[in-house]
Amino acid sequence: PCDADDIDILSTPTEFYESLVNYSRGAKDRIFISTLYLGQGEREKHLVDSMKSALQQHPDLHVSILMDYCRSLRNIQDEQSSLHTLLPLFDAQYNAQMDVRLFRTPNLQGMWTYLPERSREVV
């Protein structure tokens, strides 16, 4: 059971973003983020910077990020993918602390791999 006083209702995307940054900045044990993708904007870069700062301050912190395979690799050839946003976390000093996983539906095999990038995202 969860105490109702321990639940915060976030009403806007800005509140959600600020919560992510604040909790990331204050994390000491783990950060786990599951998301469709991570954008390329200033907010996303600031979120990654807050995770990097937490990794630097807390050597026992472990960061796990789970993203959709197709969506997170979109625009990878233009260096505009979710993985490019996360590059500051792919530093040798954080290898033991970082875990990035990409989920790909098992239905995306065979002929699906020949479809254009965005077409594969609808599966």
Side-chain angles (χ1 to χ4, degrees):
C2 182
D3 189 343
D5 293 334
D6 293 333
I7 298 173
D8 293 326
I9 305 295
L10 306 175
S11 303
T12 67
T14 300
E15 285 181 283
F16 179 70
Y17 164 75
E18 289 171 355
S19 291
L20 282 175
V21 170
N22 289 334
Y23 283 119
S24 293
R25 191 178 294 136
K28 295 178 182 155
D29 297 317
R30 73 179 154 269
I31 297 171
F32 190 100
I33 296 177
S34 177
T35 183
L36 183 60
Y37 68 98
L38 198 59
Q40 289 280 309
E42 289 305 312
R43 288 184 171 197
E44 292 86 347
K45 291 174 185 174
H46 184 70
L47 174 61
V48 169
D49 288 343
S50 70
M51 289 188 277
K52 183 175 179 177
S53 176
L55 285 167
Q56 291 169 339
Q57 294 174 9
H58 305 286
D60 293 330
L61 175 67
H62 188 81
V63 176
S64 296
I65 301 173
L66 173 66
M67 295 187 294
D68 179 77
Y69 174 86
C70 291
R71 192 66 189 270
S72 64
L73 295 180
R74 182 192 281 183
N75 299 323
I76 195 162
Q77 66 278 5
D78 299 327
E79 297 183 4
Q80 296 292 314
S81 71
S82 294
L83 294 180
H84 285 90
T85 303
L86 293 172
L87 276 177
L89 301 177
F90 292 123
D91 188 306
Q93 72 185 40
Y94 310 127
N95 279 350
Q97 294 172 270
M98 285 295 306
D99 184 29
V100 176
R101 296 177 186 248
L102 305 179
F103 172 79
R104 186 180 87 173
T105 177
N107 295 336
L108 191 59
Q109 295 179 10
M111 70 172 208
W112 293 105
T113 58
Y114 298 105
L115 291 174
E117 188 176 71
R118 290 184 183 218
S119 299
R120 292 178 284 195
E121 295 172 14
V122 299
V123 178

